[in-house]
Amino acid sequence: MTTAEMLRELPAGDSRSLPMLDRIAEGLRAQGEDVEVVYNARRDVFRIVPREQVAP
């Protein structure tokens, strides 16, 4: 497992976090995973989660 595959959460205060997670999510989708990048306000982080966990 690569570092990118393990990295699924980054702090929201870092301007590099969202673009980095977006690229990782694109790679995961290309491998067949159904994922989205979401913001968790309680923890102030961006996370990659399975799409089924995302509220409609």
Side-chain angles (χ1 to χ4, degrees):
M1 183 176 286
T2 66
T3 302
E5 290 170 332
M6 294 186 303
L7 186 66
R8 291 186 178 240
E9 179 176 298
L10 289 172
D14 186 341
S15 63
R16 298 172 294 179
S17 295
L18 185 56
M20 186 182 308
L21 286 178
D22 280 338
R23 285 192 304 274
I24 293 168
E26 284 179 27
L28 292 171
R29 286 185 208 109
Q31 295 174 13
E33 288 194 46
D34 191 16
V35 296
E36 288 292 322
V37 178
V38 298
Y39 174 67
N40 181 316
R42 184 181 312 168
R43 297 182 59 208
D44 196 32
V45 296
F46 289 110
R47 302 182 71 196
I48 296 176
V49 298
R51 191 182 306 259
E52 61 205 24
Q53 290 181 7
V54 178

